[in-house]
Amino acid sequence: MTANNRIVLSSDHTAIQLRQAIAAHIAAHGWVVVDIGPTTPESTHYPKHGAAARLVASGDCRFGIILCGTGQGIMMAANKVKGIRCGICADTFSARMIRQHNDANMLSIGVRVVGEGLALDIVDAFLTAQFEGGRHATRVEMIGALEE
């Protein structure tokens, strides 16, 4: 665990229940959860919640986990924030690889794509994987250079 053990969580209205399950799960593993909502089931726009990326980009949170129906839209919103490398994952292999090879600092999950058990396994794979550096660091630097 890094010195900054804070993780921001956010979702649109479709993923509140899964977000709360993930929050409880990671809190039980020693992470400090910064859950920025929403808390009510009224329809909300996922780009608003992709802004959780700002807390990661600022260094306030080490990682971010965001959710929407497919995970795609909220991931696209998060990746608009400079310094964010957010990947969508529906399997544990991809979750490990986005950390090991891409130094991803955010994870996106689609609540209509994976169930709770698999989502928790994906989160665990993401949080326990370590960036491998080396040739991957060069590629991560190249990704950063694309930001305007």
Side-chain angles (χ1 to χ4, degrees), residues 12-60:
D12 69 2
H13 60 283
T14 66
I16 293 171
Q17 186 175 354
L18 182 55
R19 189 188 77 240
Q20 291 170 339
I22 291 170
H25 179 76
I26 63 176
H29 286 89
W31 291 93
V32 175
V33 175
V34 179
D35 188 336
I36 61 171
T39 58
T40 60
E42 289 81 28
S43 183
T44 185
H45 303 293
Y46 58 80
K48 172 182 168 185
H49 304 290
R54 291 189 179 114
L55 292 175
V56 177
S58 73
D60 187 54

Side-chain angles (χ1 to χ4, degrees), residues 89-92 95 107 109 114 117-127:
C89 296
D91 62 84
T92 57
L107 169 66
I109 298 174
V114 300
L118 179 55
L120 297 180
D121 288 346
I122 290 167
V123 167
D124 288 344
F126 178 81
L127 294 177

